[in-house]
């Protein structure tokens, strides 16, 4: 049977319950929430004067009620050591989400750690070390001593290149300004670590190098621009599922026409109509469907290109727009350089692009008109946005550049209803000392680890086994190397410190790797680790981040971390202090001195040391001021503090001044499938194994793997397959299939999808019960950006649908009106 | 996968094994009373048994509007034409669900073509043949299903609900 909670009532928050500001932990959108808490032995009543909401709760509440919360928003947690009821519910006054909660964010309550209700019992509560053949708890002092001692000895023997690091660089849970600053200070200031990579890619690099190299920061508009645009161009982004409330609260009004008043008010003196939308995606997504439902099919242009041919399309569109005379010449003249050279280099005819992309010439011409044809003599306002379909797609750098070329040529950066932006994954929260020493291209850290390089690996909230490319080969090498150290540790008594450290170092000299995993839950890669350190997550610590429109908020601590878990920045502080002691004991006072400056007692101290002192506009920002700004916060960068408010920046580049003065066009010629081996893989294997995220689980799988509601729906990753292909493969809905190619193999459950093109599948990415990364080749671009999307493989049946999938629905995910 | 086979029971046990039960139970007893904790209470609310239809009046894929557990809680009574788990009646195909979307409370409409309930508010879809499982959508719970009984005369009675209904913190509203 389908999972049901069988909860038929919930406690009523009393009048006067405590309220704190919260931003959803998970995705980039950063919906505003409130944490409402009250003592476990008290409760409110149904009368308006008895409850927090001031409503008569003996009556049925209407749609979009501010006075109803679902069982998933509720829990009992510890707050300063005392049990409290906790409700985490969307804030109707937050401009981002206006009270909407996604299927992920609205489960934050249920996904909190509770000793009372038993939720998230998987959370790590104590430092653990490998001894006597298993992982066992120990003290912070013991664990940090061991990590520092091995780190110091490896660095002494191999230099700082012997220390490999995998670390978050984002905001929200597993990140935030406090924690990126702390890790950055440790690895880029106290040390100059070069062999470092980011949580979802094998090197330390930007996913959007090109736009930055052109002088255009990638988060340059505001969510309201989606309400003001004449045309939205969405490239490789499935916003309904992965930026849900940005889509529902800001795109839909424009598609429905309900933002017309706002358009006329803010942008008088030009004609307005409900938005048109162009979606570039090989796959028909629920986003395409929702746009058609709201705007009408005639206002939606789904460009279902051959996978990986975006670049050819963009070059042709820019060529066509220029040929029609639809460019914004005044803007380009004043604020850009290199247009003519770019146009000459990238010249692509509509017919050439049609041949490469599989689109019709008419579709391409229509797209060009929707993007740039003036509306009654006025410039058309077009918002360009893109995400992993482009970022993790073929020829990342050039494709990113080609899209920015089009946005600049049409004058759509820095203008209301415009922008050329990434949609984002996590929230952002990056503030670190300079990473210039890392170099460009940065080291391909996963390759180095596979090749036996390095002696110690510090992992901060990353799980390569789930979220890297060439994952099966990586896992095999990683397990072999870390097992060498485990065998060595088993040969000596744990309590004999010197013998233990010597045994570990001896194993490292023989190719072993000592692994340290900092996380909030057990991870797949952590199964190989020798030390596991328990971290706190957002809400268990005060945490600052910004969303996809640079909106910075403070999530106020509303509950205690589990057991002895600590904020990452305070773990860094402890580790830095342990390293200082270790270097000093080794007689290296000059090195030891580099680890001073970590005397933070709170996350706020780390924030003030980092963001406040170093960020652009950081001096205007403190916890106290952020608290007062609530869930609306301000948009970075801060430019002033006036009348009790932090003054932010709604859009970037509104005066046409870019990072280096003028924005630069970029030559971005088409060159086929760029990453080594991709064309051969395409030629050899019949099925495109396209991949990405799903609505139920997105930026939340680390907790969802322990959540009954989600694991009941998706016990295994789905692979969407055309029903006729399923017939040929003799597989039925829910059957277990193996996906395989020369890179590796993985498993999924078959989900018949009539809208899927023949031989074009789509598999849920980064799922713990079937990592798609196993079949992704090691091929990367010139800056070590992986190419997950263009993967080809074969599919075969493993077994008939087992009980866990047999009971599932495999009906069409698209909403229909009948 | 073993865990998932038992997920319903596990979820139920997790909730009812802890203090949430005590807290939830307390709500039904003397609101705001300082002695509420000491008052013995049932673990679940007491649902009314309510006749909502008759087998002879039902036709396949022709939804009947109902209300349960009271007149402010709209639902739908369905004969699906195919035996489903949890279905009642001679063909095991009669089910009933709340029609308030558990996301934001918009009304759901029945699509006979694929036997689903659909929300025009934000495109959520629920499968009537799979206990109201959310096919796609934003609700954080599968659709509340009304538990049914049928007597020898074919009268259909609703007797309980398996998830919290949108817009109420107690499925049976306090008097």
């Amino acid at each position: 049977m389908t999972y049901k909670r069988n909860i038929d009532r919930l406690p009523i928050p009393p009048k006067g319950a405590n309220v704190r500001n919260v931003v959803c932990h998970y995705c980039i959108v950063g919906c505003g929430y409130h944490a409402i808490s009250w003592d476990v032995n008290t409760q409110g009543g149904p009368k308006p004067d008895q409850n927090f909401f001031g409503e008569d709760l003996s009556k049925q509440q209407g749609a979009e009620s501010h006075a109803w919360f679902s069982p998933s928003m509720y829990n009992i947690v510890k707050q300063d050591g005392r049990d409290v009821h906790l409700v985490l519910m969307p804030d109707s006054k937050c401009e981002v989400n206006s009270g909407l909660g996604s299927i992920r964010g609205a489960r934050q309550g249920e996904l909190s750690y509770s000793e009372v209700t038993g939720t998230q019992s998987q959370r790590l509560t104590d430092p653990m070390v490998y001894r006597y053949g298993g992982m066992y708890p120990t003290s912070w002092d013991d664990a940090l001593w061991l990590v520092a001692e091995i780190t110091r000895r490896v660095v002494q023997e191999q230099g700082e290149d012997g220390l490999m690091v995998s670390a978050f660089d984002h905001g929200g849970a597993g990140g935030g300004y406090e924690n990126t600053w702390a890790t950055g200070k440790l690895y880029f200031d106290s040390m100059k670590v070069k062999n470092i990579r980011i949580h979802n890619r094998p090197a330390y690099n930007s996913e959007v190098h090109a736009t930055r190299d052109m002088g255009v920061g990638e988060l340059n508009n505001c969510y309201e621009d989606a309400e003001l645009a004449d045309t939205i161009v969405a490239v490789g982004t499935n916003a309904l599922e992965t930026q849900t409330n940005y889509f529902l609260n800001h795109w839909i009004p424009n598609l429905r026409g309900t933002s017309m008043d706002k358009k006329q008010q803010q942008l008088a003196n030009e004609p307005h109509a409900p938005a048109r939308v162009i979606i570039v995606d090989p796959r028909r997504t629920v986003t395409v469907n929702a746009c058609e439902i709201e705007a009408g099919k005639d206002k939606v242009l789904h460009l279902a290109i051959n996978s990986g041919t975006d670049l050819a399309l963009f070059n042709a569109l820019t060529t066509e727009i220029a040929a029609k005379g639809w460019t914004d010449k005044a803007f380009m003249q004043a604020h850009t350089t290199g247009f003519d050279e770019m146009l000459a280099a990238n010249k692509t005819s509509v017919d050439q692009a049609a041949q490469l992309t599989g689109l019709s010439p008419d579709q391409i011409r229509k797209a060009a008109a929707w993007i740039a044809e003036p509306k009654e003599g006025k410039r058309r306002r077009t918002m360009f946005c893109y995400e992993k379909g482009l970022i993790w797609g073929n020829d990342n750098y050039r494709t990113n550049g080609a899209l920015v070329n089009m946005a600049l040529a049409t004058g759509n950066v820095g203008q209301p209803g415009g922008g050329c932006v990434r949609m984002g994954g996590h929230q952002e929260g990056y503030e670190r000392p300079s990473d210039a020493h890392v170099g460009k291209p940065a080291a391909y850290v996963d390759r180095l680890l596979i090749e036996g390089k390095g002696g110690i690996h510090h992992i901060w909230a990353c799980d390569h086994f789930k979220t890297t490319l060439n994952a099966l080969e990586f896992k095999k090498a990683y397990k072999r190397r870390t097992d060498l150290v485990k065998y060595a540790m088993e040969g000596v008594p744990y309590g004999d410190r010197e013998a233990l450290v010597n045994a570990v170092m001896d194993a490292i000299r023989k190719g072993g790797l000592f692994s340290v995993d900092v996380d909030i839950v057990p991870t797949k890669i952590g199964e190989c680790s020798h030390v596991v350190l328990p971290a706190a997550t957002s809400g268990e610590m005060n945490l600052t981040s910004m969303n996809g429109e640079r909106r910075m908020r403070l999530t106020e601590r509303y509950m205690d971390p589990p057991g002895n878990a600590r904020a990452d920045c305070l773990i860094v502080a402890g580790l830095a202090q342990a390293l200082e002691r270790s270097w000093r004991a080794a007689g290296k006072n000059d090195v030891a001195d580099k680890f001073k400056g970590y005397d933070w007692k709170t996350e706020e101290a780390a924030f003030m040391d980092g963001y406040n002192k170093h960020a652009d506009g950081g001096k205007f920002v403190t916890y106290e001021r952020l608290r007062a700004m609530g869930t609306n916060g301000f948009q970075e960068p801060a430019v002033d503090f006036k009348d009790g408010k932090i003054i932010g920046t709604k859009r970037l580049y509104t005066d046409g001044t870019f990072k280096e003065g003028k924005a630069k066009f970029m030559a971005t010629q088409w060159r086929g499938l760029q990453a080594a081996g991709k064309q051969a893989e395409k030629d050899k294997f019949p099925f495109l194994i396209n991949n990405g995220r799903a609505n139920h689980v997105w930026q939340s799988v680390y907790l969802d793997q322990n959540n009954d509601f989600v694991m009941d729906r998706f016990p295994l990753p789905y692979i969407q397959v055309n029903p006729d292909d399923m017939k040929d493969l003799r597989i039925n809905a829910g059957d277990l299939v193996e996906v395989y190619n020369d890179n590796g193999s993985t498993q999924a459950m078959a989900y018949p999808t009539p809208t899927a093109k023949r031989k074009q599948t789509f598999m849920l990415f980064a799922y713990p019960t079937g990592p798609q990364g196993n079949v992704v080749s090691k091929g990367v671009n010139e800056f070590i950006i992986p190419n997950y999307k263009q993967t080809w493989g074969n599919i075969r049946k493993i077994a008939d649908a087992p009980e866990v999938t047999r009971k599932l629905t495999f009906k069409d995910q698209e909403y229909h009106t009948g | 996968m073993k865990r998932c086979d038992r997920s319903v029971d596990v979820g139920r046990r997790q909730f009812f094994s802890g203090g949430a039960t005590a807290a939830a139970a307390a709500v039904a007893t003397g609101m705001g009373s300082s002695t509420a904790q000491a008052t013995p209470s049932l673990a679940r609310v007491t649902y009314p048994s309510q006749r909502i239809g008759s087998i002879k009046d039902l036709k396949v894929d022709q939804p009947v509007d109902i209300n349960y557990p009271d007149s402010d809680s709209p639902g739908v009574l369905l004969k699906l034409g195919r035996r489903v788990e949890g279905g009642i009646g001679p063909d095991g195909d009669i089910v009933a669900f709340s029609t308030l979307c558990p996301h934001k409370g918009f009304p759901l409409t029945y699509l006979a073509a694929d036997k689903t309930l659909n929300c025009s508010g934000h495109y959520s879809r629920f499968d009537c043949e799979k206990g109201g499982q959310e096919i796609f959508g934003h609700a954080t719970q599968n659709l509340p299903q009304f538990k049914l009984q049928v007597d020898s005369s074919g009268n259909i009675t609703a007797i309980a609900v398996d998830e919290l209904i949108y817009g109420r913190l107690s499925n049976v509203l306090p008097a």
Side-chain angles (χ1 to χ4, degrees), chain A residues 1-13 40-41 43-46 50 53 57-74 76 85 90 99-104 106-107 110 116-119 121 240-241 244-245 247-248 252 256 286 290 293-294 695-696 704-709 711-716 751 769 803-804 806-818, chain B residues 1-5 7-8 10-12 14-20 23-33 36-37 41-45 47 70 72-74 82 85-86 97 100-106 109 111 114-116 118-125 127-145 147 161-175:
Chain A
M1 283 291 281
T2 295
Y3 171 72
K4 296 289 175 74
R5 293 182 185 81
N6 283 285
I7 291 172
D8 45 20
R9 60 187 151 165
L10 290 169
I12 296 175
V40 76
N41 292 317
Q43 60 187 317
Q50 291 176 321
F53 306 110
L57 300 181
S58 66
K59 303 263 192 313
Q60 170 74 29
Q61 306 298 304
E64 299 186 299
S65 166
H66 74 108
W68 184 76
F69 52 93
S70 67
S72 64
M73 299 180 197
Y74 169 76
I76 295 177
H85 297 280
L100 289 170
S102 73
I103 193 170
R104 303 161 307 270
R107 287 186 292 113
E110 179 176 79
V116 176
T117 61
T119 51
S121 56
L240 175 57
E241 296 196 72
T244 303
N245 293 329
F247 180 82
L248 293 175
I252 290 296
R256 278 184 184 162
V286 288
I293 295 280
E294 299 298 348
N695 196 48
H696 269 70
D704 285 334
Q705 65 187 350
N706 196 226
N707 180 261
D708 291 328
F709 174 70
M711 295 312 287
D712 179 68
R713 178 73 181 99
F714 294 124
L716 287 146
Y751 201 125
T769 50
E803 177 59 19
V804 287
R806 195 187 57 78
K807 65 177 186 171
L808 301 181
T809 180
F810 287 98
K811 288 181 181 170
D812 185 0
Q813 304 208 19
E814 288 190 9
Y815 167 85
H816 298 286
T817 49
Chain B
M1 290 310 97
K2 196 176 166 194
R3 196 181 65 79
C4 297
D5 288 331
S7 58
V8 173
V10 169
R12 193 176 296 160
Q14 273 186 1
F15 189 79
F16 287 114
S17 68
V27 174
T29 65
M31 298 298 173
S33 158
Q37 291 294 307
S41 173
L42 298 173
R44 301 192 64 180
V45 299
Y47 286 96
D70 54 59
D72 289 330
S73 173
R82 282 199 284 264
E85 204 168 343
F97 293 96
L100 292 178
C101 180
H103 175 225
K104 296 305 274 184
F106 289 97
T109 50
L111 189 62
D114 65 359
K115 301 182 195 292
T116 56
N118 294 266
C119 181
S120 61
H122 309 96
Y123 330 114
S124 297
R125 282 165 51 71
D127 189 347
C128 299
E129 295 184 295
K130 296 285 185 184
Q133 186 166 55
E134 191 170 18
I135 303 163
F136 170 84
H138 315 289
T140 54
Q141 56 198 80
N142 295 310
L143 192 61
Q145 183 166 5
K147 298 288 179 190
V161 186
D162 62 7
E163 274 282 9
L164 195 66
I165 295 166
Y166 182 89
R168 43 182 71 196
L169 293 177
S170 173
N171 274 348
V172 176
L173 293 169

Side-chain angles (χ1 to χ4, degrees), chain A residues 645-780:
Chain A
K645 287 188 173 156
I646 302 167
I647 310 300
T649 310
K650 189 169 179 177
R651 295 181 185 89
L652 302 185
Y653 316 126
T654 49
D655 64 354
T657 306
F658 293 90
K659 275 182 184 161
E660 292 163 24
K662 289 189 174 185
K664 292 179 282 196
F665 283 99
M666 181 182 274
T668 56
Q669 297 93 334
W670 166 254
R671 53 175 163 171
L673 290 177
Q674 169 271 329
K678 289 288 183 186
Q679 185 61 48
E681 187 177 288
K682 182 182 180 187
D683 295 341
K684 184 171 176 182
F685 293 99
F687 286 95
L688 173 71
I689 314 295
N690 191 4
N691 54 90
R693 309 294 189 145
N695 196 48
H696 269 70
V697 45
W698 155 235
Q699 303 291 25
S700 53
V701 73
Y702 56 100
L703 298 176
D704 285 334
Q705 65 187 350
N706 196 226
N707 180 261
D708 291 328
F709 174 70
V710 168
M711 295 312 287
D712 179 68
R713 178 73 181 99
F714 294 124
L716 287 146
Y718 63 70
I719 185 164
Q720 297 177 338
V721 188
N722 177 284
D724 291 331
D725 286 336
M726 288 182 62
K727 259 185 229 157
D728 292 350
L729 291 163
R730 298 181 180 201
I731 51 176
N732 296 308
D735 284 358
L736 300 189
V737 297
E738 182 173 60
V739 180
Y740 63 101
N741 59 17
D742 292 340
N743 308 308
S745 53
T746 189
Q747 64 176 349
M749 61 178 186
Y751 201 125
T753 306
T755 55
K757 290 189 210 164
R758 292 295 302 264
K759 300 285 194 287
Q760 296 201 10
T761 69
F762 178 87
M763 181 173 169
L764 187 53
F765 180 77
Y767 214 59
T769 50
Q772 191 273 342
N774 284 5
V775 294
V776 178
S777 80
K778 64 187 176 187
V780 291

